[in-house]
Amino acid sequence: MKKPLIVQKFGGTSVGSVENIQKVAKHIIEAKDDGNQVLVVVSAMAGETNRLVDLAQQIDSVPNARELDVLLSAGEQISMALLAMTLNKLGYAARSLTGGQAKIVTDEKHNNATIEDIDTQGIRTLLDQEQIVIVAGFQGVNRNGDITTLGRGGSDTTAVTLAGYLGARECQIFTDVDGIYTCDPKIVHQAKKLSTIDFLSMEEMAKRGAKVLHLPSVKYAQKHNVPLRVLSTFKNSSKGSFVTGQQAPDGICGIALQDEMQLIEIDSTLIASLLAQCHMLGIAIWNTIESKNTTQFVVKYADYIKLKLTLSEKEHTASLVNLITVVGSMKEVSEDKIRAILSENGVKIIFYTLNIRSFTVAIRPEEVDKVANILHDIYIDSAVVIER
């Protein structure tokens, strides 16, 4: 009988040093010794992608997108080779593959590509030969053979998509935290770990800035019903958090944070052409606020750098903001209550938006810790956290 397949993904902190890579190898060997086929996806070592981006920007503040992908793809290749060396030395046959060697085909969009297809025949052959297959995350090739990358956090999407194509029993995402929390525990010390969370709530958390999972990976897992678990590389006893279920129950599931955002105000008559420019550059608009003569919109700061030349004299004002979002059923959320409580605590809300699954406030970056703890206290600590 064919052995079940486990896909394991290890993030940058997990492979951030030779010592940590040896810890990663133990997780892989444990899964292999339990009678599974094992496919591993790795990120670049912690800080490596930022180092490579910095090198590129020393040459050009807005680097050529194709060449930037060629450069950034090197980070994951370092990790995969070191891990394969470690496993082979420990007596376990392992083979590393780049995105191109793994036959991961993407669209043409450099720096933020989407996986379109994976030819898994070569991977299946290696797995059937009892080899541990290690794939570089975050990358693929387009149909012209050019290297592409999937955007920050894209290794999650590589792992989940491979798990779906290969019919894995489970896709395990290993990080430096032991699961999915109701908020970033580094900011909200009372944040609670969720044993389970449904796909819809997890998607909204990821969409609103929670960095534990890459948004496209959650969407793919939901669409193809890929069993998804978030675990810690450094806590062997933890079962982590399981993402499952297609129905979102009532209640609040968490507080999501998004930093380094830029709020830009321009003349309303110019917004249509600017939105077209954003579409051409692949820049996501997070929020748009209309007023009488001007329009405000929010983009990531890195995208704002790309837009600066286009904005030129069109730009009225630009300022850094952070977004904090209450995620879950909005039945119990009162925008008047949130505004009143934050005002009482001396917090100025720059703007807010409300939809069926989230309430977002934009604030000054220096107020993030205070606001996150206030909202967590209101909607998490004083209520029952939703879990399936």
Side-chain angles (χ1 to χ4, degrees):
M1 187 173 73
K2 190 169 185 177
K3 293 180 178 179
L5 171 66
I6 298 291
V7 173
Q8 297 182 325
K9 178 262 176 178
F10 294 91
T13 304
S14 298
V15 296
S17 67
V18 170
E19 180 183 2
N20 284 352
I21 288 173
Q22 290 169 342
K23 293 177 182 178
V24 164
K26 290 181 180 179
H27 286 289
I28 297 167
I29 289 170
E30 182 180 352
K32 184 68 174 174
D33 287 348
D34 281 345
N36 299 295
Q37 294 183 334
V38 183
L39 183 144
V40 181
V41 174
V42 291
S43 298
M45 300 173 80
E48 182 66 8
T49 301
N50 288 340
R51 185 185 74 85
L52 294 172
V53 169
D54 182 63
L55 285 173
Q57 290 181 336
Q58 288 180 41
I59 295 171
D60 187 343
S61 61
V62 184
N64 176 276
R66 180 190 182 278
E67 301 310 325
L68 185 61
D69 276 350
V70 174
L71 177 66
L72 297 186
S73 66
E76 282 69 21
Q77 293 178 46
I78 293 169
S79 300
M80 73 180 194
L82 291 172
L83 181 56
M85 291 175 190
T86 302
L87 288 165
N88 279 303
K89 184 177 180 180
L90 292 170
Y92 288 79
R95 179 77 65 87
S96 66
L97 302 173
T98 66
Q101 289 170 330
K103 307 296 183 184
I104 298 172
V105 179
T106 75
D107 61 15
E108 303 294 317
K109 194 174 182 181
H110 284 289
N111 307 158
N112 195 26
T114 299
I115 295 174
E116 292 186 338
D117 189 35
I118 304 176
D119 180 352
T120 60
Q121 183 177 351
I123 292 174
R124 290 181 190 276
T125 298
L126 292 172
L127 291 171
D128 289 341
Q129 293 171 353
E130 291 301 319
Q131 297 211 49
I132 297 167
V133 179
I134 305 167
V135 178
F138 173 67
Q139 63 181 257
V141 294
N142 61 30
R143 297 190 186 278
N144 294 323
D146 293 325
I147 295 172
T148 55
T149 62
L150 309 181
R152 290 285 182 144
S155 293
D156 289 350
T157 299
T158 302
V160 173
T161 307
L162 281 166
Y165 268 79
L166 291 163
R169 186 176 71 185
E170 186 170 289
C171 181
Q172 301 172 345
I173 307 293
F174 284 84
T175 70
D176 56 348
V177 295
D178 59 341
I180 298 164
Y181 280 75
T182 50
C183 194
D184 185 343
K186 295 175 184 175
I187 292 177
V188 177
H189 300 309
Q190 301 305 313
K192 306 174 191 297
K193 189 180 80 172
L194 301 171
S195 60
T196 61
I197 182 172
D198 62 278
F199 281 118
L200 291 174
S201 296
M202 189 65 249
E203 179 182 343
E204 193 68 23
M205 288 283 285
K207 187 185 299 182
R208 301 300 169 183
K211 295 178 176 62
V212 66
L213 287 171
H214 191 222
L215 177 58
S217 75
V218 180
K219 290 183 174 181
Y220 185 92
Q222 178 182 3
K223 182 177 179 180
H224 298 278
N225 201 28
V226 177
L228 187 58
R229 189 180 300 276
V230 178
L231 300 151
S232 171
T233 305
F234 309 106
K235 293 185 179 180
N236 293 329
S237 60
S238 173
K239 293 184 179 179
S241 300
F242 197 51
V243 186
T244 185
Q246 301 290 342
Q247 295 296 321
D250 288 341
I252 301 301
C253 66
I255 310 293
L257 313 175
Q258 181 62 54
D259 59 3
E260 296 187 343
M261 306 298 288
Q262 194 81 8
L263 176 66
I264 304 165
E265 183 179 61
I266 64 169
D267 191 295
S268 294
T269 59
L270 303 172
I271 189 64
S273 62
L274 190 59
L275 290 177
Q277 185 73 17
C278 287
H279 179 74
M280 185 179 71
L281 294 173
I283 294 174
I285 304 292
W286 281 60
N287 296 91
T288 304
I289 308 99
E290 302 282 351
S291 60
K292 186 175 181 181
N293 297 314
T294 62
T295 298
Q296 293 177 315
F297 64 101
V298 180
V299 298
K300 291 182 179 179
Y301 180 75
D303 288 334
Y304 170 66
I305 299 301
K306 296 179 185 178
L307 272 178
K308 284 188 80 170
L309 293 176
T310 300
L311 287 167
S312 59
E313 74 282 354
K314 301 175 186 177
E315 181 181 351
H316 287 195
T317 60
S319 58
L320 278 172
V321 297
N322 280 29
L323 306 180
I324 300 185
T325 303
V326 179
V327 176
S329 170
M330 294 294 103
K331 292 179 182 178
E332 305 300 323
V333 173
S334 165
E335 55 190 273
D336 291 336
K337 179 181 178 180
I338 290 178
R339 284 188 295 161
I341 290 175
L342 293 185
S343 178
E344 288 171 8
N345 284 272
V347 176
K348 178 185 177 182
I349 298 178
I350 298 170
F351 70 84
Y352 68 88
T353 58
L354 174 67
N355 66 34
I356 193 170
R357 294 291 301 164
S358 64
F359 182 93
T360 299
V361 293
I363 58 172
R364 294 189 297 267
E366 62 268 22
E367 296 177 322
V368 168
D369 289 24
K370 179 198 290 188
V371 174
N373 278 276
I374 290 171
L375 295 179
H376 195 275
D377 181 62
I378 296 170
Y379 291 108
I380 305 294
D381 289 343
S382 61
V384 177
V385 179
I386 63 168
E387 295 194 44
R388 294 188 65 84

